[in-house]
Amino acid sequence: FKDLHEFVAGAASGYLGKAIAIIGGLVGLGLGAATGKAMPAITGVVLAAAGTLGPKVIDQVFAGAII
């Protein structure tokens, strides 16, 4: 499982994770602008922030939980 964790963590915190976060943010902002509603735009920004910060937060939670 260590190899799987390293692969997924590397992909999520590397260029793949950043690309997914940027695309999610842009899609949300685009949908918000197209529909004139704020919720898709807010969702896109939150998705981008979660995609950027998520892997680091998860690593810190599990690093602190290991005894």
Side-chain angles (χ1 to χ4, degrees):
F1 288 111
K2 182 181 178 198
D3 292 335
L4 176 64
H5 172 268
E6 289 175 357
F7 172 73
V8 172
S13 62
Y15 290 112
L16 177 64
K18 291 176 186 176
I20 291 172
I22 290 169
I23 291 169
L26 290 176
V27 167
L29 289 172
L31 285 174
T35 60
K37 297 180 182 177
M39 197 57 170
I42 293 169
T43 303
V45 171
V46 169
L47 177 66
T52 303
L53 299 174
K56 294 174 187 153
V57 170
I58 291 171
D59 281 342
Q60 292 299 318
V61 167
F62 282 113
I66 296 174
I67 297 174

